Amino acid sequence: MLLDHVRETFFLHQQVMDPMVVADTSPAVFFSRLLAHVCAPVFVFLTGLSAFLYGSRQTDARTTASVFLLKRGLFLVLLEVTLVNFAWTFQWPPRVIYLQVIWAIGLSMLALAVLLWLPRGVLAAVGLAVVAGHNLLDGWHFPAGHPLHVPWAILHDRGWLGEEGGLRLRTSYPVLPWIGVIALGYAAGPWFSPSQDAATRQRRLLAWALGLLGLFFAVRGLNLYGDKPWTVGGTALETTMGFLNVTKYPPSLLFVALTLGAGLGLLWAFERVPAARWLRILVAFGAAPMFFYVLHLYVLKALYLGALAVWGPNRGTVFGFGAMWQIWLCTALLAVLLYRPVRAFGAFKARRKDLAWLKYL
């Protein structure tokens, strides 16, 4: 995620489309973007999983989880349209509000607050049906002014809301497929309950990881459903890039299969090396994810404005780095810079259980 946002900040002169245009995208940019694709599905899946674990510690598990999801979901929607959007645009009052991943997670939590009352098997089936079947709706579009334009732009068809000259909203993350992903995360919650045998959980994680990745390669190879078709390129590298070039907005079946398969594989691998020192570094960031998210956006904006003030626009109308290795280096340096404040906030959050508002961060 940090890598992708550094790229979006300091590589504005080489923006990428979704899905990416292979002929116009360098391999370094392509694979950096592809790596970042893993983040959002894992965030949303783990949101559902953590909601289950949060509720399971209470006497009335579903009521507790549902109430928490309602409050947390509304908080995230508010956070997206205020602090997060301001970090991206630095406009006040805003002229454009980008409804991105925090918005999508918030709305998904609101949906899960209702869906979690379904039997677990039914909930899992609904999640799978939404993730696997929503690409059947790709041909549905409703123009501005149509009664279904606004709800469909929110659910499935990325677009603009509002009139030119006034406040406009961009539904960057259509939310319908994410509701399926969060439902699957909640349904997987019992795998991580204290009573669950670790070996059984690891077998399930590995089986689902391999199953999803196998589904991706099988369905992508048929080239009939689940995403925009791929074509053979002029070189083996171009062909590989085309094959892996999946759609994020909204996340296609093949996007979810590839990224969530990789994410479940990482969960399986991480659990097998719990004492690794490098893993404890990742845990520090995971202990305060929302604090890290908001903090890194404002740090990036401050760095960009500072660079623009000192060196000016060196890439047309923007300031930017000249090569992807600089993006990677900047990402590594920022991760080191942000580690201590994030770890300190995570420790504070763990220590002050009496402050109820902290659980939202």
Side-chain angles (χ1 to χ4, degrees):
M1 179 193 71
L2 182 59
L3 170 66
D4 205 41
H5 290 170
V6 172
R7 180 193 57 79
E8 290 185 343
T9 301
F10 291 105
F11 237 49
L12 283 172
H13 55 290
Q14 291 193 26
Q15 293 210 39
V16 297
M17 302 293 289
D18 178 66
M20 290 174 275
V21 181
V22 171
D24 298 335
T25 307
S26 70
V29 173
F30 179 91
F31 287 104
S32 294
R33 174 65 171 163
L34 183 66
L35 179 63
H37 277 347
V38 176
C39 300
V42 174
F43 287 169
V44 177
F45 181 86
L46 292 181
T47 298
L49 173 59
S50 63
F52 175 88
L53 295 177
Y54 177 79
S56 68
R57 295 195 295 266
Q58 313 300 322
T59 303
D60 192 344
R62 291 191 181 185
T63 299
T64 300
S66 183
V67 170
F68 173 73
L69 286 165
L70 285 171
K71 292 179 179 178
R72 172 78 166 177
L74 291 171
F75 169 75
L76 292 184
V77 170
L78 178 63
L79 188 69
E80 180 74 86
V81 301
T82 54
L83 286 178
V84 172
N85 190 72
F86 182 71
W88 284 112
T89 66
F90 256 44
Q91 296 175 356
W92 193 262
R95 296 189 295 274
V96 176
I97 294 178
Y98 296 98
L99 304 174
Q100 302 190 85
V101 66
I102 303 302
W103 147 274
I105 294 175
L107 288 188
S108 298
M109 294 178 85
L110 295 177
L112 182 60
V114 178
L115 292 173
L116 64 78
W117 294 97
L118 295 171
R120 181 175 171 235
V122 175
L123 177 63
V126 169
L128 288 171
V130 170
V131 169
H134 80 91
N135 285 119
L136 295 171
L137 309 173
D138 288 348
W140 291 17
H141 307 285
F142 301 98
H146 192 283
L148 293 179
H149 173 68
V150 172
W152 198 239
I154 293 172
L155 286 172
H156 198 265
D157 202 4
R158 192 185 197 197
W160 289 94
L161 306 178
E163 301 293 334
E164 291 284 355
L167 176 63
R168 305 190 73 202
L169 290 80
R170 170 69 162 169
T171 56
S172 299
Y173 271 71
V175 76
L176 180 61
W178 298 116
I179 293 173
V181 175
I182 201 172
L184 293 176
Y186 189 90
W191 297 358
F192 291 82
S193 64
S195 60
Q196 179 65 67
D197 175 63
T200 301
R201 174 172 57 252
Q202 290 176 20
R203 284 197 299 271
R204 288 173 175 170
L205 286 171
L206 183 58
W208 275 93
L210 295 176
L212 286 170
L213 292 174
L215 174 69
F216 169 79
F217 284 103
V219 177
R220 191 60 165 160
L222 293 173
N223 216 16
L224 297 175
Y225 177 75
D227 212 307
K228 293 178 173 61
W230 61 279
T231 58
V232 176
T235 66
L237 179 59
E238 288 180 355
T239 300
T240 300
M241 290 166 63
F243 189 85
L244 297 175
N245 192 19
V246 286
T247 303
K248 184 178 182 181
Y249 308 111
S252 66
L253 164 62
L254 294 177
F255 179 96
V256 175
L258 175 62
T259 56
L260 197 55
L264 293 178
L266 287 172
L267 288 177
W268 170 80
F270 288 163
E271 189 170 353
R272 296 177 68 84
V273 288
R277 186 172 181 179
W278 61 267
L279 190 57
R280 294 200 295 271
I281 296 174
L282 296 182
V283 170
F285 286 103
M290 188 54 63
F291 176 79
F292 169 63
Y293 186 86
V294 175
L295 177 63
H296 95 279
L297 290 181
Y298 279 91
V299 169
L300 276 174
K301 179 59 73 171
L303 288 174
Y304 177 79
L305 293 177
L308 192 62
V310 173
W311 292 292
N314 65 339
R315 306 284 172 181
T317 61
V318 300
F319 174 85
F321 294 151
M324 273 302 298
W325 69 264
Q326 296 169 314
I327 299 294
W328 279 87
L329 177 60
C330 182
T331 300
L333 293 175
L334 276 175
V336 173
L337 174 68
L338 296 175
Y339 173 71
R340 288 190 178 276
V342 172
R343 185 182 65 172
F345 186 85
F348 172 71
K349 181 179 176 181
R351 188 169 63 250
R352 295 300 305 272
K353 298 293 187 183
D354 56 309
L355 300 176
W357 59 270
L358 278 176
K359 67 174 177 282
Y360 294 98
L361 299 176

